[in-house]
Amino acid sequence: MIKITNLTKRYGPKEAVRGISFEVKKGEIVGFLGPNGAGKSTTMNVLTGYLSASGGSASIAGFDVLDDAIEARRHIGYLPEQPPLYFDMTVDEYLNFVYELKSAKQPRNRHLDHICELVGLSHVRRRLIRNLSKGYKQRVGIAQALVGDPDVLILDEPTVGLDPNQIVEIRNLIKNLGETRTVILSTHIIPEVAAVCERVIVINDGLIVADDKTENLMHNIGGENKFSAQVDGDPAKIVDVLRGVEGVTDVAYDNGSFILTADEGADIRKNVFYAAAEADLPLLSFAPVDVSLEAVFARLTKKGEEK
C-alpha cells in the first residue's frame, strides 16, 4: 500500500533523508519513530505530497506521489499534529467543507453519517468546533482524514495534549481504523506505539535504524541476553545449579524469580531444562526478559548518533 524506495531529501547541503526504503502493507498499523531532526516529518511530508523528494520514489496504492499526485492523495487521509480545523464552523459544516475540498465521490449524507458514528461525533455535529474539548477536536481532525474513505491514514501525534481517558479512546479508535486501513502513526509517546502498533520503523539521522515487529524489537535489540526463570526449591541451590549451565554467565535472584544472563546469541533453554531436571528442581516457567520500547528507542538513536 505504501512503498518508499531510496528516498532522499536535501535542504541545501543538509541531507535530511538519506536513501531510505520501506513498505507498509494493507491492514498494518506501523509506528514511525525518530528523535527531533531525524527525518521523520520530512518523510511524512513527502508521502502526503507536501514536499517533493530530491531522489528516489514514494507511492501510495501504486500511484507515485509526484507523477500521479492527485490519485495518490485520493488514497491518503492525513492528520497533522495541529488538526486543520475552522473553529467558527460547526462539526457538520466543517466536514461538508472537507467533503467538497476532497471532491469525495461517496454519497454525502451516508458517508458523513458513517464517519461521525465511527469516531463518536454524532451527538456534537451541530456544535461549534471551538466549543469542543481537546479530545473532541482531535476526533474532528481524525474525521476529516477519513472523508473520501482513504486506504491510508497518516497520523502525526494524534493524542498530544489529551487526558488519560481521551488517550485510551483515541488509541482504541486507531486500532479499529487499522482493521480496514493502513495506518502510519508518528508519536513521541513510546508506550502509545507499544499499545497500538504491530510494527515499528525507527529513523535516525536520515536513516532507517530498525524495522521490525514491536515484540521483536523489545526482545532482540540492544540489551543483554537475559531470561527469567521460576524454579521450585532452595534459592541458594538453584543459583548454584543455574550458574553451572553452559552458556549462562550470571544468575541473580530477584523477588522470587531467577534472572539469567547468557552469552550473546546463546539459546540456553534446553540446557536450563536438563540441568533443573537432573538436580530435581521443578522448572515452573522460563521466558526471555524484554527491554522496554523506550530503552530500545534510546539505544537505537544513540547508536545512530555515534556513527
Side-chain angles (χ1 to χ4, degrees), residues 192-215:
E192 186 164 282
V193 175
V196 174
C197 302
E198 56 212 32
R199 175 180 161 204
V200 177
I201 298 172
V202 183
I203 186 171
N204 190 47
D205 195 24
L207 296 170
I208 300 294
V209 294
D211 181 356
D212 206 341
K213 290 185 177 181
T214 309
E215 61 267 25

Side-chain angles (χ1 to χ4, degrees), residues 98-117:
V98 173
Y99 181 95
E100 295 287 347
L101 281 181
K102 291 188 175 183
S103 300
K105 305 299 183 183
Q106 294 77 10
R108 183 192 300 250
N109 292 337
R110 187 189 312 161
H111 182 50
L112 296 184
D113 287 349
H114 174 67
I115 290 173
C116 287
E117 182 178 351

